[in-house]
Amino acid sequence: MDSKIILAHRGISSLAPENTLAAFNLLPKYNIKWLETDLGITSDKHVIIMHDDYLDRTTNGHGLLASTSYRNLHKLSAGAWFSSKYADERVPTLEELVSFVNRTKINVNIELKAVVSNNANEMADSLVHQFAQALDMIDPAIDIIVSSANPIMLLKLQQLRPHTEFAVLFDKTNLKDDWQLIMQSCHAQFIHPESEGLTREKIEQFKSSHYRVNVWTVNTLCRCNQLFNWGVDGVFTDFAQRLSYTDDY
């Protein structure tokens, strides 16, 4: 794994609509070696690529993702909100993500989103089982990190694919004194803290406990440089095309 990595947050999401194939396909152009993206699930249990629980922000649809069928989801534009140029973009599927990484050999951080649904546990189990099968279809030469802010999602996958590398996401409000207990319970190798409020001292705590550290979401070169100087391993950014040269630190 690279010593310093730049992870394209939901693709190169400053140049194309986030979590679309258009945003993913820009990575080779800018020689970006890592993609970060998110998994969700539809009401009829199709695993797709979307960050939010609701459709409204990144599609021209409305309502809860887990209450929407894949057939209806596939009719929606996932790019018109960004630009008319991307009006024909659709929400990608897990299968399309697997095909993309196998074709490009780009490494990937895949975030498992907690399912918001009346039958959330059943839906989460389906998402995790389908994802576990998909992991077997990815070229073993590709580095994969599976992350989540929900430890239960990681534990569900850990039972099926124990040799996967896991990361726990923390925002500044839930990064409390019990962070290491949560990391240990998930068998995680990576910690993914929020950039805002993150200090050198906290990073030193992570590193002294032998965790690798990737920080989100870092959109300025100044902060990127500071974090790498403090010893972090990687940063998530919406502007990977601008920060990619920092791989050579």
Side-chain angles (χ1 to χ4, degrees), residues 113-247:
K113 309 296 295 183
V115 179
V116 177
S117 170
N118 291 333
N119 58 337
N121 192 56
E122 176 187 339
M123 297 282 278
D125 283 344
S126 179
L127 190 159
V128 168
H129 276 81
Q130 291 182 66
F131 181 43
Q133 293 173 346
L135 285 173
D136 294 336
M137 300 173 64
I138 295 177
D139 185 333
I142 294 169
D143 287 330
I144 301 169
I145 304 169
V146 179
S147 64
S148 185
N150 186 314
I152 300 302
M153 297 297 289
L154 297 180
L155 287 170
K156 286 177 181 290
L157 184 62
Q158 201 272 337
Q159 292 171 359
L160 299 174
R161 295 294 184 274
H163 300 298
T164 305
E165 292 199 302
F166 295 103
V168 182
L169 279 152
F170 292 92
D171 64 29
K172 63 179 181 178
T173 60
N174 65 18
L175 183 59
K176 302 185 185 301
D177 291 342
D178 63 351
W179 67 267
Q180 194 161 5
L181 180 63
I182 296 170
M183 293 285 292
Q184 291 170 351
S185 72
C186 297
H187 308 277
Q189 298 83 20
F190 291 83
I191 184 166
H192 290 176
E194 181 179 10
S195 175
E196 186 175 348
L198 188 63
T199 63
R200 180 196 290 265
E201 291 72 24
K202 185 59 73 173
I203 290 169
E204 289 173 351
Q205 289 180 27
F206 302 151
K207 300 299 286 188
S208 66
S209 299
H210 307 291
Y211 291 112
R212 285 172 282 178
V213 184
N214 297 321
V215 180
W216 59 273
T217 301
V218 183
N219 284 337
T220 68
L221 182 59
C222 179
R223 180 60 166 167
C224 181
N225 291 345
Q226 182 181 54
L227 290 167
F228 279 145
N229 287 332
W230 289 353
V232 308
D233 299 278
V235 297
F236 300 90
T237 180
D238 300 324
F239 297 92
Q241 75 278 13
R242 298 181 187 174
L243 305 185
S244 59
Y245 65 86
T246 54
D247 285 349

Side-chain angles (χ1 to χ4, degrees), residues 12 18 23 36-37 48 57-59 66 70 78 93 103 120-121 129 143 157 185 200 204 218 249:
I12 302 189
E18 67 176 63
E36 185 274 344
T37 191
I48 54 84
R57 185 177 65 86
T58 58
T59 78
Y70 177 70
T93 63
R103 173 173 56 85
N121 192 56
H129 276 81
D143 287 330
L157 184 62
S185 72
R200 180 196 290 265
E204 289 173 351
V218 183
Y249 265 49

Side-chain angles (χ1 to χ4, degrees), residues 97-110:
L97 175 64
V98 171
S99 176
F100 170 79
V101 297
N102 282 338
R103 173 173 56 85
T104 60
K105 308 307 177 190
I106 285 172
N107 305 310
V108 61
N109 180 112
I110 301 174

Side-chain angles (χ1 to χ4, degrees), residues 37-57:
T37 191
D38 312 273
L39 294 188
I41 190 167
T42 64
S43 63
D44 46 353
K45 298 180 180 176
H46 283 256
V47 180
I48 54 84
I49 308 301
M50 184 176 285
H51 176 271
D52 293 5
D53 298 324
Y54 287 83
L55 306 174
D56 303 65
R57 185 177 65 86

